[in-house]
């Protein structure tokens, strides 16, 4: 049994096809979606996503956006969705170090701090997913 899954980001379509399962982190916690799931809508948190296609499970860094199920069709619209094999771990480490340096600065506006914290979280999620 499979369901139609579409994963889109501002950069384009990351996946469009039949899947057996999707596990993602929402703001309420981790959820799993299998075929014939009831209609559903949730805001995405940040963490690892797992997609199983033809018995093979792929992982990705998945941050922000929403996941919906409508009449058995699943759509994931994420601000960040990067397959583990596409993640450049050294780049994420450099982004982490930059974000930590910014956060230590004394005279940051709230907005600058919020952006640096979001960048730090992205960098940490990318490293945890990219290394597996
Ligand atoms: P950086 O400072 O390294 O650009 P960032 O968190 O500011 O990190 P984003 O604005 O989230 O980067 O992403 C910009 C683009 O670069 C997106 O297309 C994103 O998928 C890609 N990207 C960012 N970091 C990585 C990474 N470590 N590996 C692969 N792609 C990445």
């Amino acid at each position: 049994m499979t369901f139609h899954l579409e994963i889109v980001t501002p950069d384009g379509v990351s996946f469009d096809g039949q899947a057996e399962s999707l596990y993602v982190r929402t703001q309420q916690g981790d959820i799993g979606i299998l075929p014939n799931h009831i209609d559903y809508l949730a805001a995405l948190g940040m963490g690892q996503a797992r997609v199983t296609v033809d018995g093979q499970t792929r992982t990705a860094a998945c941050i922000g956006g929403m996941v919906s199920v409508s009449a058995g069709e699943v759509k994931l619209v994420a601000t960040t969705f990067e397959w583990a094999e596409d993640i450049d771990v050294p780049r994420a480490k450099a982004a982490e170090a930059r974000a930590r340096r910014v956060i230590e600065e004394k005279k940051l506006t709230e907005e600058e701090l919020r952006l640096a914290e979001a960048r730090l979280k992205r960098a940490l999620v990318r490293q945890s997913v990219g290394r597996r």
Side-chain angles (χ1 to χ4, degrees):
M1 284 274 284
T2 61
F3 56 84
H4 182 242
L5 171 65
E6 193 180 354
I7 301 174
V8 296
T9 72
D11 292 334
V13 179
S14 300
F15 183 83
D16 185 356
Q18 293 298 121
E20 284 138 43
S21 66
L22 167 70
Y23 290 86
V24 280
R25 179 153 296 176
T26 74
Q27 290 184 4
Q28 280 76 40
D30 292 347
I31 60 140
I33 294 173
L34 297 169
N36 298 317
H37 195 287
I38 53 165
D39 286 2
Y40 175 77
L41 178 67
L44 294 171
M46 39 175 68
Q48 189 194 65
R50 280 184 289 141
V51 180
T52 302
V53 175
D54 290 336
Q56 302 272 59
T57 301
R58 298 175 75 190
T59 60
C62 179
I63 304 169
M66 52 171 246
V67 59
S68 67
V69 185
S70 178
E73 299 264 313
V74 182
K75 196 158 184 179
L76 192 142
V77 181
T79 29
T80 295
F81 189 95
E82 290 145 12
W83 294 112
E85 64 269 24
D86 297 332
I87 294 174
D88 179 339
V89 174
R91 173 174 166 181
K93 279 190 179 162
E96 176 192 351
R98 270 198 314 278
R100 288 194 190 280
R101 276 198 301 276
V102 171
I103 288 167
E104 278 167 17
E105 283 171 25
K106 299 250 153 38
K107 288 184 181 160
L108 288 182
T109 64
E110 264 184 39
E111 176 70 356
E112 284 166 339
L113 181 61
R114 196 183 61 76
L115 288 173
E117 283 174 346
R119 199 166 297 130
L120 174 60
K121 286 182 192 156
R122 287 198 297 274
L124 293 175
V125 171
R126 284 174 177 132
Q127 288 178 62
S128 74
V129 173
R131 275 211 198 94
R132 280 160 213 260

